[in-house]
Amino acid sequence: QVHLVESGGGLVQPGGSLRLSCSASGSIFSINTMGWYRQAPGKQRDLVAVVTSGGSTTYEDSVKGRFTISRDNAKNTVYLQMNNLKPEDTAVYYCTADVSYTVADQIHQIDAWGQGTQVTVSS
């Protein structure tokens, strides 16, 4: 019922920038927290940034000051602006959203996940 689609990944040189976007679709009633995780080869999936429905943000320490998470509630879309990218930022980035959605007359709440988008930072 809920589908997240990510875009914006790619290959960028160190110091460069990328903007990831993720749009949610389906029978959405509301979205609370939206966020981004990333997973590098051989590593666990780690939280990068989250933003609440009210706009409060939290960042993982290594990206603080370089990444900015934002959202457009009207579009059910979350963004991750990544500046001054470093090789250690290389990972698959996954969008997630805490979504309330409807099935028939019933409301369900889940953590929805996108399929991931590859970000590679290399010279």
Side-chain angles (χ1 to χ4, degrees):
Q1 284 289 328
V2 180
H3 187 55
L4 302 183
V5 179
E6 300 135 323
S7 64
L11 175 64
V12 65
Q13 296 183 22
S17 298
L18 287 172
R19 190 180 78 155
L20 307 182
S21 62
C22 172
S23 296
S25 61
S27 300
I28 297 172
F29 181 78
S30 64
I31 303 178
N32 188 16
T33 300
M34 304 186 80
W36 292 91
Y37 285 70
R38 66 185 180 185
Q39 187 169 22
K43 300 289 187 177
Q44 293 185 346
R45 188 176 298 186
D46 295 323
L47 180 67
V48 177
V50 294
V51 57
T52 69
S53 60
S56 297
T57 59
T58 302
Y59 297 93
E60 191 270 329
D61 286 342
S62 69
V63 309
K64 193 172 298 182
R66 299 187 298 120
F67 291 11
T68 302
I69 189 170
S70 61
R71 64 191 287 171
D72 185 334
N73 291 330
K75 297 180 179 179
N76 290 330
T77 299
V78 62
Y79 306 93
L80 186 67
Q81 178 67 46
M82 304 184 294
N83 298 326
N84 192 24
L85 282 160
K86 303 176 179 180
E88 52 263 43
D89 296 318
T90 296
V92 178
Y93 284 70
Y94 297 90
C95 171
T96 187
D98 180 7
V99 181
S100 295
Y101 67 99
T102 58
V103 177
D105 294 327
Q106 187 175 0
I107 298 177
H108 298 258
Q109 186 165 353
I110 62 166
D111 285 337
W113 291 86
Q115 294 299 306
T117 183
Q118 177 70 49
V119 172
T120 302
V121 184
S122 176
S123 60

